[in-house]
Each structure stands twice: as structure tokens, then as C-alpha cells.
Amino acid sequence: MRVNGTDEKLDVEPWVSLLDALRERLGVTGPKKGCDQGACGACTVLADGVRINACLALAVQYADKEITTIEGVTPHPLQEAFVRHDGFQCGYCTSGQICSAIGMLNEAEDPAALTDAEIRERMSGNLCRCGAYNGIVEAIKEVAR
Amino acid sequence: MTTTDIRAPEKYVGRPVDRLDGPAKTTGEARYAAEHHYPDLAYAALVHATIARGRITAMDTAAARAVPGVIEILTHENAPAMKPAPKVSLLDISTMASGTSVNYLATDEVHWNGQPVAVVVAETSEVARHAAALVRPAYQELPAVVDFAAEEPNAAPQKSSMLAETSADKGDAHAALATAQASVDLRFTTPPHNHNALEPHATIAVWDGDRLTVHEGTQNFGWLRKHLAKRFGVPERNIRVVSPFVGGGFGGKGMVWAGTLLAVLAARATGRPVRLALTRAGVNHTVGGRTASTQRVALGADADGRLTALIHTSVSRTGRIGGTPEQITSASRHLYAAPNIHLRQHLVQLDLLANTSMRAPGESIGTFALESAMDELAWELGMDPIELRMRNEPERNPVDGKRFARRLLREAYAVGAERFGWRERDPRPGAMRDGRWLVGMGVASAYHPSWKLPASVTVRLSADGGVEVRCAMHEIGVGAATVQAQIAADELGVPLEAVRVRYDDSDLPLGAMAGGSMQTASVAESLLAACRKLKQSALALARRAADSPLRGRRLDELEARDGGLHHGASGETYAEILARAGRDHLEAAIKSGALGMVGMLRERRRWVKAACGAQFCEVRVDPDTGEVRVSRWLGVFDVGRVINVKTTASQLRGGIVMGIGLALTEETQVDPRTGRIMNAGLAEYHVPVHADIPHIDVHCLDEPDPTMPLGLVGVGEVSITGVGAAVANAVRHATGKRIVDLPITIDKLL
């Protein structure tokens, strides 16, 4: 598996999730475990540029994929925009929000044309219990345009 | 957010300073509790009871033990002893740290459905979880009382304590209600809630002889350390709690729950560092949440809308094995100048996991009832709901005549009405439309008492001009280090970049708990005192030198700026003072003591201190499906002086977001037959998502509270209060329907 530009050799049981492989076996702890059932989005990473919930993916399925986590996207303009717009409080959902936003902007035909409502809809798989949603949308909008 | 006060540009307090931990949190560098590595780390998983009450008669662990990679399985049959939880005493409030009174794995008794009855320790987390699923306890079931609604008629009066008064009587509210020209009498219900912080609770416990290191996201270093010392029989100084980042708390990480204790116990039993990261369901089953409630609010008024009677009674619950009663009628003590007031709180004890503080415990759901009833009274009177509130705005605290330290609720409504366009509201129900959507606008008051506790802080000034603030604080997302750095920089007159705040370790001087909206004010008070002490020391050093421009000066004549002390054009930097004296640093410490607590209670006898505000909500309701969308929000708050415009606005917005969840979607569903939480996950417990939250306009009046350090008042909880009612009142305006049972789901509107 290629993780953040480095080839990693992993010997894992077939039931190990991509998230656990990253966090427990490779020490890549940027992606977070919030629910372990695909409901919160804190574990969002990019697989060949597409956002996925790493907790719902089995590591063995991604053997030949390029996995990019928050560590691998650094530095990215969204990170600075999140800080400036205060798009987080506790920070636990932030890795997932940023990776999800990168994937979301890749999906959009014309990212600059996304309305606030569209951004919200497309980001609704990423929960933030601190309620930093306004700042997150502002940060994404700024980078999209 | 805007503020009405533009500060001197060289000051940091009041400015929208970016969080100092922003880069760490946005790059994945920030390490949370479960993310610390030890070479021989073992992984633990819990086995939860599946009955509400009874005894374990057998524990079959054979299949689980046979799984390769299992190190140990701890049950009540083989677990090492842990001391029982201490009895709660107000003389030492750290005795309140225990989430429950259960002595886990020292007993065969089961007290709630979900109680941990075994811990599996294994070489990987997958093996631990798999083996935990293979443990087969057998039970003898006993009758259990788990249905709040059924038990509610048996509620007993709740006793008052030094920290929370639970009843009040002024005049004869029942007689006044009976003869009132206008009245409402409503019964409300609110369901249990769970914090559901995004980071599930996790603990890494590492024993080294009788020394213990614990990695955990905590809202209370002091309580956690003291409690572990008591339970495991080691001196407090042997325990170090490391907690640089807390992935959300909201009250859920303030007490010590089973996961923490069992991680420490498992590490002691196996001789290995142990990590116990709870599953999301595990959090729901072992960490308490908000109580359910039923409430009655009855209001009587004369034809001009002057309240003649205010009755607010509540029933809430604790667990038979613990829990703190929530102050549900608290806001009714303070909000309205009714001549006749009757307040009572009642409790039931259930065989459920103990309840615990969750963001504005009591006030969040109490204001839903009170402020919904006020709105209904306004309908009854045909009066504008803001006008009704203004006619009943008290000069002094209604129940006891104490003075308010500061109260700007009138101003909050005036500013808010203007800013929100309240005058454009057509008061008739269902009269406003946006296409097919019914539009409604509602208001409600926010109110939360402000507290502060003693805190210890040390400040060190180095010869290179650097400042180090040392204080164990809880970074649950409030920007704890950032705001204290701003305060220290201003107070000492140094650039923000020169200040380093060390806060992440219980070996540091202990600050105050992150609870009751009091961490920032508590620490600020001691930090200000430490900075003043430090400047005194620096001045004393300077005055000894014949050639110092500060010779003969007193501190109150001087200005701290440009990295030193100055009088007009003359002065010198701290670096110069230290260099001349041949010192490499100066240090000042403020230590918290029991006297601080006494002082705090004395102060509370004198003043009523609080944060307050006006919540403005606009909803759109689909007339066919009953779907409610919050389309606009404005909160105008009186939270004293704002230290950081950016982080304050975020925290206030966060409370409103959680309040929108409380209003529309959040409900912990407890099976009334088995006491099992049926929706112990984020797929079934619906917290607000991006699409549920519009732009939230937040405005702070930014007037200092004269009785608080720097005039600041905590902002953590006030903004969730009133939100449930503001939504319900907007729905009432849009549809004509008064919803008294939370959450306001579509079935209730059809």
C-alpha cells in the first residue's frame, strides 16, 4: 500500500480495517476513530484522490491504492483557512473534515460555483460535535474560489 | 461576530487571535489520548452486562481465552482489588469525581444494562474486541426500575445543597394563578441526551512500580488524579495525567468512568501498558448523559402582561448508583419579576447508568419549558413575546432580592430585534410563507450562572524576554492556552509570540475544571495575580540599581509594554532588568487554597452573577411533511468582556448548534423494558450535521462584569440555553402548534 507517498509493507489479517491499519500498524494517527461505523466521517482519507471512510474499508482491499491522509495533504491551503475561520474547536473531526473537503472539491464540476447549501449538503457526512460548521463552510468557500 | 468596543491595537485581549494549536489540529499532529505509543502496549475491550439488575452467576471465558493473542480476561472472579469510591462530601468536592458508586469487577452485582462485567486484554485491538464478544456471563435477574415515564409519579422532593438551591417560594403562586387575568399551564417532557463528543473516551495506563502515568482526555485533572490515587492506593504525587488535547467533552469527560478505572486496573493486573479505547456504543453504556425530565410551567399575568404567578416544577432522574441532580428550575429563579413564585424539583432513582453534567445541565432543558411557556402566554395575551419579557424584567433577583452583578438582557433584545428584523414578523400564526414553506420566528432568553473556582498558576519570565505560563488546563476546544496567552501578553506587555503556555500535564500547577463555564475566568484571576506579582518582583530588582530609570517608581505608576515596565518615555525591559541583576529568570506563583472556595461561596451570597442573552430563530416548516429547517439564527449575548472574539463566537455558535440538536433531533432512547440504550451510536442518535445548520449570527455586548477577572464571564454553556424554546416558539409561529415534547420531530407536527 502506498501511504502519503511512501510504499508501506503491511502484513495484516483480512479483518483489519484501513483505519486500524493506518493508526495502529503504521502510526498514522491523523485519521480519527469517532464511531467505527461510517457515521461520523472523522476517519475520512483519500484513496486515489476519492474520499472514503477508512473505518468501513478493509486494509487488504486497498493493497494497490494510493492512500492520502491529513499528514499527506500537508501543506494545503484548506489547513490555513480552517485556522483563520476557526473551523474547529476540539480538533478531533478536523482531519476528516479537511480530507473530505479536498475530496468534495475534486468531485464538484465547478467548485467555485458551489453555494453554501451545496457545500453543506456535500459535507454532511462529516460530523462536528463542537458545532464549528460555519467556520468550516467559510474555509472551504474561500479555498474553492 | 462584531463587538461594540474597539480596543487599543497593541492589546491582544478582545482581538480575534487564531488558536495557537491551530497548526497541530489541522495537520494531524495533535495527539489525542489513544494515540500515544508504547512498545509493549496491550489493548483492552469491555464486556457489557445485558441485564438491568441482578447478579452474575457464572462467567464462561473459555472460548475467549482460546483466541490467540488474548493476554488476560479480568472478571469479578479474578480481578485485583480496587478500593471503593469515596463518599461524596462537600468539604472535598473531588469526592464527586466518581461517575458511579460501583466498584467494578469487585462485585457480582449488576446495576445497569451496559455495566462492564469483564475486561479482555489482548495483543491487538481486534483480538480484544473479538474475544470480548465470546465472553458469556450468566445472570440471575432481579426486578429493575428503568422506565422514567412510569416511575415519574413516585418522584421525591430533591434536597437543596450549598451548590444548588432546588426550591423557592415567594408569595402564594397557586392563589395568584387561580385569579390571574391570563394564564397558561403546560406540561413538558424532554428525553435523555448523550454528549457524543467526537472522540470516544480512551485511556492509556502505564504502571512503573507504584507510579502511574495516564493518557486521557479529561475535563478535570485534579479530580481524576485524586480519584485514581484513592482507588488504587497510591499517593497523588505518584500519578501523572497527560492530556494535551481533549476531543470534545461537554461534561462527559468531567467525572471518572468505568473505562478509566478498568484500563488502570488491567495495566496493574497484566504488568503491561494498556489502552482501553471505548467503542461508540461503549461510551453510551459507561458514560452517563443528560437526564430525562418532565416539567410543569404555569404562568399567570394581568391584562398588561405583568406576571402575577410563576410556577415551575420538575421531575428528573439520577441512577441508584450515582448521578448529580440537575438544576432544572434554575433560570426561573432569575428571569422574571413575578411577585408570586413557586419552584420545586423532584427526583426519581432508576436502575440505569448515573446521569452526569451535559452542557448547561438543568438550564438547557429548564429554559425550554420556561421560555416556551412565556411564549404561549404572549399568544394568550396577544402580545409581542419580546415586549412581554421586557415588562417582566427584574431590577433585582426575583426569589431573594439579591443584586445582579450586571444584567443586559434588555439591551440584548433591543440589539437583537433590530439586527434580526423582528419588526418584519407578521405576528399571526402561519401568515409568513416562503413558497410552500411556512416561516416562523421565535425568541427565547438564555441564562446561565457564572462561577469561578480557585486555580494555581505559575508565571516565569526569562532573561531572553520569554514568558512561560504553567497551569494544568483542559483543552476541550475552547482555546484555553490561546486566551490565557493573550491575557499574559497584555498584562506583562510582551508580544504574544513571547508567551508559551504549558497546560497539558497534571504535574503542572492545577487550574480549574473545564465545567460550569468556569475554566477561563478561574485561571485568568490567578494568572492576573501572578503577572502582577512578577512585575512587582521585576520592579523591586530594578529599584535596587542606582542607574535604573524605574528607581523610586511604584508599580501603579507604570505601564507594562514593549517587553518591560515604562513610565512615559523612560523605562526598561525585563531582559535589561534581569541582565543587570545577573538573574536568568524571575518566577511568581499563585496557589489555590481552601480559602478561595470559601471566598467564592461568600461572593455568591452577595451577588447574582450570570451570562445571559437573547436567542432569535427563524424556521421553515414543510406543511405537508412537518419537516422543520432552521433557516436563520441570531444570538445576542451578555458574556462580560470578550477575550478572543474568534474563539468566543465559535463556542457560542457551538452551544446553539447543540441546542438545535436538542430541539429537533437528539434523543437517547432507553428501552422501557430492559433499560438498554437502543440508539447507542451516531447513526441512530442524530446530532446536527452541516446541512442542518445555517449561518449563525452571534453578537456580544462586550461590557465587562465588574465582579469578574478582566470582566470576563464564561461562555461555554449560556448559548445552549433558550435554544430549544426559540425553535419551539418559531415552530408555534409558523404552524400554530405548541410542541411541548422534545425533540420536535415530524410525527408531532402532523
Side-chain angles (χ1 to χ4, degrees), chain B residues 63 88 103 229 235 372 481-482 486 512 535 544 618 642 650 653 690 723 730:
Chain B
V88 173
N103 201 2
S372 293
T482 309
Q486 290 175 260
K535 287 187 285 188
R544 278 186 224 156
E618 181 190 88
V642 174
S650 289
R653 284 199 183 97
H690 273 283
V723 174

Side-chain angles (χ1 to χ4, degrees), chain B residues 297-320:
Chain B
V297 180
L299 302 169
D302 65 20
D304 294 333
R306 282 183 187 81
L307 285 183
T308 53
L310 191 172
I311 296 171
H312 189 175
T313 63
S314 69
V315 179
S316 71
R317 70 100 180 168
T318 57
R320 212 179 299 280

Side-chain angles (χ1 to χ4, degrees), chain B residues 239-523:
Chain B
I239 298 177
R240 180 174 168 224
V241 179
V242 184
S243 189
F245 300 103
V246 187
F250 317 113
K253 290 168 183 167
M255 317 279 271
V256 185
W257 299 95
T260 308
L261 295 168
L262 293 175
V264 175
L265 191 73
R268 180 175 258 187
T270 58
R272 298 267 299 263
V274 167
R275 190 188 82 181
L276 177 47
L278 296 182
T279 61
R280 176 58 56 185
V283 175
N284 281 257
H285 292 315
T286 62
V287 177
R290 195 193 297 288
T291 180
S293 79
T294 60
Q295 301 177 54
R296 176 191 177 208
V297 180
L299 302 169
D302 65 20
D304 294 333
R306 282 183 187 81
L307 285 183
T308 53
L310 191 172
I311 296 171
H312 189 175
T313 63
S314 69
V315 179
S316 71
R317 70 100 180 168
T318 57
R320 212 179 299 280
I321 40 77
T324 312
E326 299 175 27
Q327 56 271 23
I328 294 175
T329 63
S330 154
S332 294
R333 309 180 73 81
H334 308 297
L335 273 176
Y336 299 112
N340 302 289
I341 297 177
H342 174 80
L343 309 178
R344 287 289 185 278
Q345 296 183 175
H346 290 77
L347 278 179
V348 295
Q349 285 194 335
L350 300 180
D351 295 306
L352 297 176
L353 173 57
N355 68 314
T356 194
S357 295
M358 176 169 163
R359 205 169 201 163
E363 287 95 358
S364 54
I365 51 179
T367 52
F368 163 66
L370 175 64
E371 289 298 278
S372 293
M374 278 299 281
D375 193 72
E376 199 54 34
L377 181 64
W379 285 106
E380 195 68 30
L381 289 159
M383 185 179 282
D384 179 272
I386 296 178
E387 179 55 29
L388 175 63
R389 286 174 173 84
M390 294 306 95
R391 289 197 186 177
N392 291 286
E393 182 62 8
E395 291 305 313
R396 286 185 171 236
N397 193 47
V399 291
D400 52 23
K402 277 189 223 173
R403 275 184 298 163
F404 294 112
R406 177 200 85 271
R407 181 166 167 127
L408 301 175
L409 198 54
R410 260 181 209 288
E411 290 80 351
Y413 273 108
V415 169
E418 184 65 32
R419 210 175 159 101
F420 200 67
W422 185 255
R423 259 177 301 180
E424 278 107 75
R425 175 182 185 259
D426 182 331
R428 296 166 302 158
M432 293 172 72
R433 289 229 174 205
D434 175 15
R436 58 192 300 275
W437 294 89
L438 296 163
V439 177
M441 289 161 79
V443 293
S445 297
Y447 194 93
H448 192 270
S450 59
W451 292 76
K452 63 182 178 359
L453 281 176
S456 297
V457 177
T458 299
V459 183
R460 174 187 277 241
L461 196 57
S462 298
D464 63 2
V467 171
E468 185 178 87
V469 175
R470 292 204 297 268
C471 177
M473 289 187 288
H474 315 88
E475 178 40 45
I476 54 174
V478 302
T482 309
V483 297
Q484 301 299 342
Q486 290 175 260
I487 292 170
D490 277 4
E491 204 54 28
L492 293 171
V494 300
L496 189 64
E497 303 75 54
V499 183
R500 177 168 175 243
V501 180
R502 288 188 51 204
Y503 69 90
D504 58 352
D505 189 322
S506 65
D507 283 353
L508 296 162
L510 290 183
M513 72 167 87
S517 302
M518 62 183 139
Q519 176 168 258
T520 303
S522 303
V523 172

Side-chain angles (χ1 to χ4, degrees), chain B residues 78-248:
Chain B
N78 66 348
M82 187 166 62
K83 292 195 165 63
K87 281 240 175 321
V88 173
S89 156
L90 278 180
L91 298 175
D92 175 4
I93 56 169
S94 80
T95 53
M96 292 163 69
S98 198
T100 78
S101 59
V102 175
N103 201 2
Y104 304 105
L105 304 194
T107 171
D108 61 354
E109 294 168 6
V110 173
H111 299 276
W112 81 88
N113 198 326
Q115 177 186 322
V117 291
V119 183
V120 177
V121 187
E123 297 293 347
T124 68
S125 60
E126 291 89 356
V127 168
R129 268 180 88 169
H130 173 55
L134 299 176
V135 174
R136 291 276 174 271
Y139 304 101
Q140 178 206 349
E141 279 196 66
L142 293 169
V145 180
V146 296
D147 184 354
F148 177 74
E151 188 60 12
E152 190 241 306
N154 303 326
Q158 180 187 330
K159 292 191 188 81
S160 286
S161 80
M162 212 157 65
L163 299 173
E165 289 155 300
T166 59
S167 65
D169 277 300
K170 184 171 125 183
D172 187 342
H174 292 98
L177 182 69
T179 55
Q181 286 170 286
S183 65
V184 295
D185 194 343
L186 295 170
R187 185 179 188 275
F188 299 88
T189 68
T190 67
H193 297 132
N194 276 78
H195 312 81
N196 277 313
L198 251 277
E199 179 202 25
H201 296 54
T203 307
I204 294 176
V206 188
W207 284 97
D208 176 11
D210 65 349
R211 304 187 72 82
L212 171 67
T213 303
V214 171
H215 298 271
E216 172 161 307
T218 179
Q219 292 179 248
N220 200 329
F221 277 110
W223 284 15
L224 175 55
R225 187 174 66 178
K226 208 164 189 174
H227 191 71
L228 289 175
K230 281 183 181 150
R231 300 301 286 267
F232 291 94
V234 294
E236 245 186 288
R237 63 175 181 279
N238 285 17
I239 298 177
R240 180 174 168 224
V241 179
V242 184
S243 189
F245 300 103
V246 187

